Amino acid sequence: MAETINSLEDLGTSTVAPAVNTAPVHAQKLDAQGRAYATGKRKNAVARVWIKPGKGKLVINGREFATYFARPVLQLIVKQPIVATERTDQYDVTVTVAGGGLSGQAGAVRHGISKALNFFEPDLRPVLKKGGFLTRDARVVERKKYGKAKARKSFQFSKR
């Protein structure tokens, strides 16, 4: 039990250990099949990502990665966290993505892969954090307001 302190002199003689500031320890999070799961989001797109040890196969919605994201820019975006952590041929990635357009889906897949890599190997967190892959990009389309042509654009004004 804690000792009672009645005066300032007693405070100086008490044997209370100083608080030690420790960084949080991140543990590996795996499911029953030995996979890491994460959800990535961007605009209106949501990607569910599973990562397991393998040969580097990337499957998105049951289709090959290169056929789903045909544009090289989108392929580059999706591969960024894997290339940054130098884990190109070590993990098989399975993704289910829905909502939004292809650009938003590519961003969601990138976010999901980054989070899943972080769950599978917590030591990769500094590399992923420095690259900005763990941050969810919260920018979404602004809603249309009444009395306006679009979100902010006004109708053409005529004096007469």
Side-chain angles (χ1 to χ4, degrees):
M1 201 70 197
E3 58 186 66
T4 308
I5 299 172
N6 297 327
S7 67
L8 289 175
E9 289 80 27
D10 292 343
L11 182 63
T13 60
S14 65
T15 57
V16 178
V20 178
N21 190 5
T22 59
V25 177
H26 298 282
Q28 189 180 39
K29 296 179 186 175
L30 301 178
D31 62 4
Q33 287 86 25
R35 304 174 300 181
Y37 169 78
T39 305
K41 295 181 180 181
R42 171 81 172 96
K43 293 186 179 179
N44 281 337
V46 178
R48 300 184 304 156
V49 179
W50 290 269
I51 286 184
K52 64 180 179 180
K55 296 193 168 32
K57 189 175 177 187
L58 187 58
V59 178
I60 300 174
N61 287 353
R63 291 165 43 188
E64 189 59 39
F65 157 72
T67 58
Y68 194 84
F69 291 117
R71 288 192 292 176
V73 173
L74 298 179
Q75 293 177 8
L76 180 80
I77 289 172
V78 170
K79 287 273 193 180
Q80 276 180 329
I82 298 171
V83 172
T85 56
E86 300 171 356
R87 302 290 191 266
T88 311
D89 296 328
Q90 293 186 14
Y91 295 113
D92 286 344
V93 181
T94 306
V95 180
T96 305
V97 65
L102 281 179
S103 177
Q105 287 185 353
V109 170
R110 179 179 92 162
H111 186 229
I113 288 173
S114 304
K115 285 173 62 175
L117 276 171
N118 185 32
F119 290 149
F120 203 93
E121 281 188 70
D123 297 336
L124 296 176
R125 185 174 176 82
V127 177
L128 294 168
K129 190 76 171 163
K130 187 176 182 220
F133 303 128
L134 295 176
T135 305
R136 194 257 201 250
D137 191 352
R139 295 176 295 170
V140 293
V141 177
E142 190 175 347
R143 77 172 191 88
K144 184 196 175 298
K145 281 77 170 186
Y146 60 89
K148 298 278 187 178
K150 297 189 333 189
R152 296 185 181 203
K153 182 180 179 184
S154 298
F155 295 110
Q156 183 174 352
F157 176 74
S158 175
K159 194 169 187 179
R160 307 181 191 159

